[in-house]
Amino acid sequence: MHPAHSTAQRSLPPPARWRQLLDAVLYSSVWLSVAALGLMWATFLFWGVHISARLGGLIFAATLFLYNLDSVLPYKHGQLPGATRRKQWIRAHRPQLLTLTVAAGAVAGVLYLTDARLLPLTLFGGHLALISVLYSMPLVRRHGRWRALRDLPLLKVFLIAYVWAAVTVWIPALYLGRDWASPVVLVLFARRFLLILALALVFDIRDYSKDRLTGTHTFPGVLGSRATKWLGLVALLGAALLVPPGVSVPHAVALVLPLALAAAVLWYAEESRPDYYFALLTDGMMVVQFVAVWLAVG
């Protein structure tokens, strides 16, 4: 680091230093990786089983790898730069993000290869990894722009919801030797799918103008923002009604109450909201779900 830059860093007032730290945690996908770990942990708590530290570390590292991979892909450099705080931070820290991406991928690989209970899940986990990589990877060039899986009309929110629900419900179930198609597991999967679907719609609202410029058809672009919010509320209502059988009253409340907070975040989402509304608050709804379950069963 350049000495002048170090001096400038030390001279920053405490609020500015804290904001820099917050930006690094949010825009490097560390916060999102914590959310993925929390949702998986909540699934283990449902069965009263301690989460495997190795599996938890794998999910954290793999999430960190996949989401930062999207930021450092070379084809991204030629896209519209945008003026959001998040995009500015990513452009300014691409070398550090590249290092973090490589390190996270290496850690995920080591944790996976050294856990005998994960190796039988290779085929199942492989299709989730394939979807995650192809989600942003350029596949075809159309009208002068590279198109990825996420650019298929109205598909991206369902891809996100499916992968997150499968990773945080089906993988723990299979890891513990449970039937992925049993009624209880399917209920957990469905309510997790609907929660993530609603949160993904919030990010579609955020990206409304960008998606229109790039020709990506999303629910806000097709239905409008207000109808998209109603669609998300229906998804959250569905999740609230899907309470797994046999859970205690405190656990049932812990499963449902965070959905009300998610509904408020969805309803007040606007494209003009600051980046923190999405990166901190919206993604934070997944952390809230974990904390609520942990307090209920702890």
Side-chain angles (χ1 to χ4, degrees):
M1 182 180 292
H2 193 277
H5 183 66
S6 300
T7 302
Q9 290 283 90
R10 287 195 298 269
S11 64
L12 287 173
R17 289 199 296 269
W18 279 110
R19 187 167 184 177
Q20 283 190 342
L21 177 61
L22 180 61
D23 287 350
V25 170
L26 295 179
Y27 304 142
S28 67
S29 297
V30 169
W31 179 238
L32 191 64
S33 301
V34 169
L37 173 59
L39 284 182
M40 174 175 277
W41 198 340
T43 303
F44 277 90
L45 289 173
F46 173 80
W47 283 306
V49 178
H50 291 293
I51 187 173
S52 161
R54 191 180 299 275
L55 179 60
L58 170 62
I59 293 306
F60 179 88
T63 306
L64 200 58
F65 168 74
L66 289 168
Y67 274 85
N68 282 311
L69 181 66
D70 180 55
S71 300
V72 300
L73 285 173
Y75 90 99
K76 283 278 186 176
H77 298 191
Q79 291 187 352
L80 294 174
T84 65
R85 186 177 183 88
R86 173 179 171 271
K87 291 179 180 178
Q88 291 172 350
W89 190 93
I90 289 174
R91 288 201 306 273
H93 296 85
R94 272 210 171 96
Q96 294 92 331
L97 283 178
L98 179 58
T99 301
L100 180 62
T101 303
V102 172
V107 170
V110 170
L111 289 174
Y112 173 76
L113 292 173
T114 55
D115 191 331
R117 284 191 288 178
L118 281 172
L119 294 177
L121 306 182
T122 298
L123 185 60
F124 180 80
H127 95 280
L128 297 176
L130 184 63
I131 294 173
S132 300
V133 171
L134 294 182
Y135 176 81
S136 295
M137 191 70 70
L139 299 175
V140 295
R141 191 173 179 85
R142 186 181 177 192
H143 302 309
R145 178 179 175 269
W146 284 103
R147 303 282 173 166
L149 202 57
R150 58 169 285 161
D151 294 313
L152 291 175
L154 305 180
L155 184 62
K156 68 176 187 175
V157 291
F158 295 105
L159 291 174
I160 293 170
Y162 171 72
V163 171
W164 274 75
V167 167
T168 62
V169 175
W170 274 344
I171 286 183
L174 294 172
Y175 191 83
L176 295 173
R178 299 176 185 270
D179 181 6
W180 69 271
S182 66
V184 170
V185 175
L186 288 179
V187 167
L188 287 173
F189 175 86
R191 73 183 320 276
R192 188 67 51 78
F193 179 93
L194 292 171
L195 168 63
I196 301 301
L197 179 67
L199 296 179
L201 289 172
V202 175
F203 288 94
D204 269 3
I205 293 171
R206 179 197 68 178
D207 295 337
Y208 173 75
S209 294
K210 184 195 77 172
D211 287 333
R212 287 194 64 186
L213 286 172
T214 58
T216 301
H217 298 288
T218 62
F219 281 100
V222 174
L223 302 178
S225 178
R226 190 172 184 85
T228 298
K229 292 178 181 180
W230 279 111
L231 178 63
L233 291 179
V234 170
L236 290 173
L237 177 61
L241 295 175
L242 288 170
V243 177
V247 300
S248 65
V249 172
H251 196 163
V253 172
L255 289 173
V256 172
L257 277 185
L259 300 177
L261 294 177
V265 169
L266 169 67
W267 189 252
Y268 290 105
E270 302 292 344
E271 186 181 10
S272 59
R273 294 286 186 189
D275 284 343
Y276 288 168
Y277 187 91
F278 304 98
L280 178 61
L281 187 59
T282 305
D283 284 339
M285 291 301 99
M286 294 181 279
V287 179
V288 169
Q289 178 71 84
F290 159 70
V291 172
V293 172
W294 183 73
L295 291 174
V297 303

